Amino acid sequence: MTNSTILKSSIAKKVAMALSGLFLITFLSIHFFVNLTSVFSEELFNMMAHFMGNNPIIQFVMQPILIIGVLFHFIMGFVLDFKNRSSRPIAYAKYNGASNASWSSRNMIISGIVVLSFLGLHFYDFWVPEMAYKYVEANPLNAQRYYHELGEKFESPIRTAIYSFSFFFLFLHLWHGFNSSFQSIGVNNKYSKAIHKFGYAFAIIVPFGFIFIALFHHFNH
Amino acid sequence: MKLALKIWRQNDASSKGKMVDYTVEKIEPDMSFLEMLDILNDELIVKGEDTVAFDHDCREGICGMCSLFINGEAHGPDRLVTTCQLHMRKFKDGDTIYIEPFRAKGFPVIKDLVVDRSAFDRIQQSGGFISVNTSGNTIDANTIPIPKHDADKAFDAATCIGCGACVATCKNSSAMLFVSAKVSQFSLLPQGKVEAKERVLNMVNQMDAEGFGNCTNTGACEVECPKGISLENIARMNREYLKSSII
């Protein structure tokens, strides 16, 4: 069997989805940690945001890898969903999916689309202005601006509500996605129970933590 | 019990099918689901109508021949049973029951509720075997020491009867539970290790060629499997596949 056949195989695609998902989970953890500091200390948050926004390795190595990772995960998600739908040309008249699988596991494409839409808004809110500030307008470095910019964004109740709604769907996506990633890469052993517990805890703590941060800044600015 | 049935009727593989309404009466709770269909067919014969075609053979949950997607679930609402082991006590008087064939691109309908599951045969033929000299000098398998844990896992995987409920119930029509069980039943044992690499690569390749969808780990297959085949087998197959692809 040729290498190209192997790369096109269902298992290779599944593993690629899992690895890109785990990569995004790692990024999400770092993002959450940085954002969480904004609740406790303006100074610490500014320092961390300034570091993340100006460190050349993060900016010119990690950031492009992250964007490629996000694009890959979403494109592959759509490709696999299309393939999977075409694998049943005639739908059942009655399909009781809820009897044997969770909503989150059956609707990863829906939760994924909501998260993707949110990322569009998030890029428009933070990433695009940041790129314009640094590389288009070429403003001087200002390590004190991040906390106030964050607070300004969450003044709007509509934006805060959209963020909270989106993070709820991120919770649903992670609720299945975290543990599914490990199953896909072949991890199903004596540590699986612990991984599952950690995965469910992560799926709750991180998205609802982000919602807490958004609400915190909405009500404190 | 009096029951309303909505059954998929389709003349042959090339014609279009549709759901057709029937009513059956005097159904006893202790009847099996297939006996209920036998009664319906008896009535259709008396009326001079075409009987409903459905697969069955042993009628004791061993052969994997019966199928049917009943009220939105493979093998119906009960757990760890095939359709032939499903009893009418699981339904109530006046219920409406949807009866459909297992649906997947890899399982084309032949007639009514009968589907062609030969895709599973082709997957098996692509690697689901071990090459043993049967010239008369065959060594008894029991002379090879095998850890009980491995033997138990292999036997659990080998209980798969290849009915196709995993494909039918999976929202993606994925056959990975079946294929992983057939990979695992050999790869766990010393006799299966010799051809382990070719086996997993060929079987997965054939599975993909048959048009089955991709597993997204919903776990529905494990729940609906009449033999309780574990998702652990899919993880093992993924590992075997990755190992065989890289090395």
Side-chain angles (χ1 to χ4, degrees), chain A residues 3-82:
Chain A
N3 285 337
S4 63
T5 311
I6 289 165
L7 290 175
K8 283 178 192 167
S9 78
S10 52
I11 292 182
K13 287 175 189 160
K14 182 174 162 160
V15 169
M17 265 311 264
L19 292 176
S20 60
L22 288 171
F23 170 70
L24 296 179
I25 282 171
T26 308
F27 162 73
L28 195 67
S29 308
I30 297 167
H31 196 333
F32 176 66
F33 177 69
V34 172
N35 282 23
L36 192 62
T37 60
S38 71
V39 173
F40 302 107
S41 164
E42 177 178 343
E43 195 179 320
L44 181 61
F45 176 72
N46 277 334
M47 188 187 81
M48 296 193 80
H50 185 72
F51 172 78
M52 299 295 278
N54 294 280
N55 183 289
I57 294 173
I58 291 171
Q59 281 295 294
F60 303 114
V61 179
M62 294 309 292
Q63 189 167 260
I65 292 173
L66 174 66
I67 292 170
I68 290 167
V70 169
L71 288 174
F72 177 84
H73 194 72
F74 280 106
I75 291 169
M76 188 61 104
F78 284 120
V79 167
L80 288 175
D81 190 69
F82 178 77

Side-chain angles (χ1 to χ4, degrees), chain A residues 151 154-158 160 212-221:
Chain A
F154 289 116
E155 277 177 8
S156 160
I158 294 171
T160 308
F212 168 74
I213 294 165
L215 293 174
F216 176 85
H217 289 291
H218 176 70
F219 289 111
N220 285 284
H221 285 273

Side-chain angles (χ1 to χ4, degrees), chain B residues 119-135:
Chain B
F120 273 13
D121 297 337
R122 290 187 289 277
I123 292 171
Q124 275 290 81
Q125 287 156 7
S126 70
F129 52 81
I130 55 167
S131 301
V132 177
N133 187 344
T134 55
S135 62

